[in-house]
Amino acid sequence: MLNCGIVGLPNVGKSTIFSSLTSAKAEAANYPFCTIEPNVGIVSVPDKRLGMITEYIVPQKVIPAVVEFVDIAGLVKGASKGEGLGNKFLGHIRQVGAIIHVVRCFDDDDVVHVEGKVDPISDIETISIELALADLETVQKRQENIVKFLKSQDKKISDNAKAVKPILELVSNALENGSPANSVDLDERQIELIADLHLITMKSQLYCCNVSEDDIGDDNEYVKKVRDYAQKDGSSVVVISGQLESEIATLDTEEEKADFLEAAGLEESGLDKLIRKGYEILGLKTYFTAGEKEVRAWTFPKASKAPQAAGVIHSDFEKGFIRAETYHCTDLFEFKSEQKLKENGKIRLEGKDYEVDDGDVLHFRFNV
Ligand SMILES: Nc1nc2c(ncn2[C@@H]2O[C@H](COP(=O)(O)OP(=O)(O)O)[C@@H](O)[C@H]2O)c(=O)[nH]1
Ligand SMILES: [Mg+2]
């Protein structure tokens, strides 16, 4: 399963946010949730469309899409040189699909800041430099190995090495300057050629500003700085209050949570925003299956063709794919029943080349 790794300096609120994320969802009976390891949690993706579909197709069960979060502790200055438990944690970050970078944007004299003062940009740069240095080491190791591969008798190996060599040079130049690997202008084929390096700075990233309860409505000075910074490096920003979210997480029912949010003047919890953004930067999209038994959201990688998307449900669906009966959920919201959709010619028959759209409702036809 694709996942988001939560990184940041110590004491910025990573674990607070992580445990609110996971406990909040454990309460809701319909949401599948499980904990594999203490620092790994599977969280359901909030999606209003799922509830709207069930107004017109009433199922016995509703199953949302899920996404996994990993609380990665222990990044400090010098992590790439093995400070703290640096190398071990960098290993964990290599395994995740995308990175949520928690940045401390709250003042609190009771919570020690590792650098002595709250300075989100300096914090971001500390972490970014460690990640770039870790990647640089990975790239340099490959550059050393490639000297051998270039001389290989096996033409496949030597050809591959020849193609990879200039890409490594471009990437290592960027990393040496402290720039992330994804700042290098590479085409898809080039990215594919170095994908096995699992470079951390190649992954999508979003900044999660952890602010105090009082600052949740209007950006404080720290958040403004992070937004400026993120604009330059093309990352998204989510503002959240770890403290507030952990209070919400202790409430038992969805109603209590809704009341709490309303009283705080919020439309949705910061966590819901964070989950949706995390899902988005992983490059994931959602389609639905809808019937009397269940209405369910399925996660697929963007730009998937119909058989590949069907394979998310079962590999037989992909192998034996014949076609998909398809409509978009917004058509259902307009016409209010599948019968009406049919009468109005809104149900399409799509074949193997159909690129599935976010929000499609699909019925697959297949044989095995
Ligand atoms: N004032 C304030 N304290 C917070 C907030 N979020 C977390 N903390 C506190 O900061 C300390 C470190 O939080 P923790 O989640 O363990 O940080 P981590 O080291 O990044 O995992 C704890 O004492 C939290 O209660 C917040 O939004 N505001
Ligand atoms: Mg922690």
Side-chain angles (χ1 to χ4, degrees), residues 51-97:
M52 289 167 73
I53 291 173
T54 64
E55 282 176 34
Y56 308 112
I57 301 171
V58 182
Q60 290 159 23
K61 228 165 60 186
V62 183
I63 305 178
V66 292
V67 65
E68 190 178 274
F69 287 86
V70 188
D71 181 11
I72 298 170
L75 269 188
V76 291
K77 193 179 268 176
S80 61
K81 296 280 164 282
E83 280 294 319
L85 289 164
N87 276 321
K88 183 168 166 243
F89 292 119
L90 288 167
H92 288 157
I93 303 174
R94 285 194 186 97
Q95 306 308 318
V96 302

Side-chain angles (χ1 to χ4, degrees), residues 29-330:
N30 270 328
Y31 295 141
F33 165 84
C34 62
T35 302
I36 304 148
E37 286 172 57
N39 68 328
V40 178
I42 294 173
V43 175
S44 58
V45 180
D47 190 333
K48 290 209 173 79
R49 298 171 302 180
L50 200 54
M52 289 167 73
I53 291 173
T54 64
E55 282 176 34
Y56 308 112
I57 301 171
V58 182
Q60 290 159 23
K61 228 165 60 186
V62 183
I63 305 178
V66 292
V67 65
E68 190 178 274
F69 287 86
V70 188
D71 181 11
I72 298 170
L75 269 188
V76 291
K77 193 179 268 176
S80 61
K81 296 280 164 282
E83 280 294 319
L85 289 164
N87 276 321
K88 183 168 166 243
F89 292 119
L90 288 167
H92 288 157
I93 303 174
R94 285 194 186 97
Q95 306 308 318
V96 302
I99 291 173
I100 293 176
H101 186 155
V102 178
V103 189
R104 176 163 166 176
C105 293
F106 66 87
D107 290 310
D108 186 338
D109 292 339
D110 292 335
V111 180
V112 174
H113 189 289
V114 281
E115 304 282 339
K117 76 177 190 24
V118 180
D119 182 345
I121 302 307
S122 145
D123 289 4
I124 287 175
E125 282 175 345
T126 300
I127 298 283
S128 301
I129 286 169
E130 293 308 322
L131 300 181
L133 287 173
D135 278 352
L136 183 61
E137 205 180 305
T138 308
V139 171
Q140 285 173 338
K141 258 188 214 143
R142 178 61 58 90
Q143 283 177 311
E144 284 163 26
N145 288 333
I146 217 159
V147 180
K148 277 184 305 220
F149 298 148
L150 282 168
K151 293 183 227 151
S152 172
Q153 298 300 318
D154 189 331
K155 193 164 162 7
K156 236 189 186 162
I157 295 178
S158 62
D159 279 354
N160 180 274
K162 254 180 239 158
V164 169
K165 190 167 178 273
I167 307 171
L168 294 177
E169 266 158 35
L170 288 171
V171 173
S172 73
N173 283 342
L175 293 169
E176 271 169 11
N177 291 322
S179 302
N182 63 12
S183 68
V184 181
D185 193 14
L186 300 175
D187 61 34
E188 256 171 62
R189 192 191 58 94
Q190 291 171 311
I191 290 171
E192 190 54 40
L193 279 168
I194 56 163
D196 62 330
L197 290 175
H198 299 288
L199 295 179
I200 303 166
T201 62
M202 206 64 166
K203 301 176 197 287
S204 316
Q205 178 179 236
L206 79 82
Y207 298 114
C208 175
C209 297
N210 187 14
V211 301
S212 74
E213 265 176 75
D214 307 331
D215 288 345
I216 201 71
D218 286 309
D219 287 355
N220 66 23
E221 289 309 309
Y222 300 134
V223 175
K224 282 181 190 154
K225 284 185 188 155
V226 175
R227 284 199 197 279
D228 278 347
Y229 191 88
Q231 190 147 39
K232 280 174 219 145
D233 76 5
S235 306
S236 332
V237 176
V238 172
V239 181
I240 197 168
S241 167
Q243 220 169 29
L244 186 73
E245 296 299 336
S246 60
E247 281 169 43
I248 298 176
T250 61
L251 301 174
D252 288 329
T253 65
E254 289 302 312
E255 276 149 15
E256 282 178 274
K257 288 178 188 177
D259 288 347
F260 187 103
L261 286 173
E262 206 188 314
L266 300 171
E267 266 184 32
E268 67 172 343
S269 80
L271 288 180
D272 285 356
K273 245 188 299 182
L274 185 63
I275 298 166
R276 275 195 289 102
K277 271 285 174 209
Y279 192 75
E280 201 178 294
I281 63 167
L282 281 165
L284 299 177
K285 305 233 172 241
T286 302
Y287 70 81
F288 303 99
T289 52
E292 280 165 23
K293 258 211 186 122
E294 66 177 36
V295 168
R296 180 162 182 169
W298 299 90
T299 295
F300 67 99
K302 67 177 177 203
S304 293
K305 297 279 182 351
Q308 191 194 348
V312 170
I313 300 178
H314 196 289
S315 56
D316 284 349
F317 278 37
E318 180 165 3
K319 271 183 269 164
F321 178 90
I322 300 170
R323 62 177 179 270
E325 278 176 33
T326 313
Y327 59 86
H328 198 266
C329 66
T330 49

Side-chain angles (χ1 to χ4, degrees), residues 2 14 61:
L2 276 172
K14 298 183 295 298
K61 228 165 60 186

